[in-house]
Amino acid sequence: MSDLKKEAESLDKAASALRKVPHHTTKPLHEFKEESNDLGALGKLGALLSATEDIREGMHKLAKLTHELEEEWHAEAKLMGDVSDAFDLLDVLLAAAARGKKG
């Protein structure tokens, strides 16, 4: 197996793993967003009551950043898949060129 073929398979596996990330983060992220709207339990802590809005804002920012990170991972997975496909094609072309020189 050529090095390009191995690289293509490795990139394809990595891209596949990156595409699966949202399957693991969607539910926890949704629950996290939901909890950021219900911070009543903090009221029992008295001193933290004034920090509720800051905490809510921080949670919203974390949720937004997580979403942006997932989008970046998706874009990287697509790019890795495209590079993997290009390596496969290059491997085929190099093999054909080598056969052409022999024949």
Side-chain angles (χ1 to χ4, degrees):
M1 182 181 290
S2 74
D3 289 340
L4 286 175
K5 185 71 172 170
K6 289 178 186 175
E7 283 296 319
E9 288 177 0
S10 177
L11 284 169
D12 191 50
K13 286 180 185 177
S16 178
L18 279 174
R19 285 186 199 101
K20 293 178 183 176
V21 168
H23 298 294
H24 301 290
T25 60
T26 301
K27 183 179 177 188
L29 183 58
H30 175 73
E31 291 172 355
F32 182 78
K33 285 179 183 178
E34 289 297 314
E35 291 299 320
S36 70
N37 293 320
D38 183 21
L39 298 176
L42 290 176
K44 296 177 183 171
L45 300 176
L48 291 178
L49 186 57
S50 63
T52 300
E53 189 57 37
D54 291 337
I55 293 168
R56 181 178 291 118
E57 182 179 325
M59 291 175 79
H60 283 294
K61 283 182 183 178
L62 275 173
K64 181 182 176 206
L65 289 172
T66 301
H67 178 71
E68 289 172 2
L69 187 57
E70 285 181 355
E71 288 178 344
E72 183 176 333
W73 286 338
H74 179 74
E76 286 181 22
K78 183 182 180 329
L79 176 63
M80 291 169 77
D82 291 347
V83 170
S84 173
D85 292 344
F87 279 174
D88 284 340
L89 179 59
L90 182 57
D91 194 41
V92 168
L93 292 173
L94 289 173
R99 281 193 303 272
K101 287 182 182 178
K102 288 179 185 179

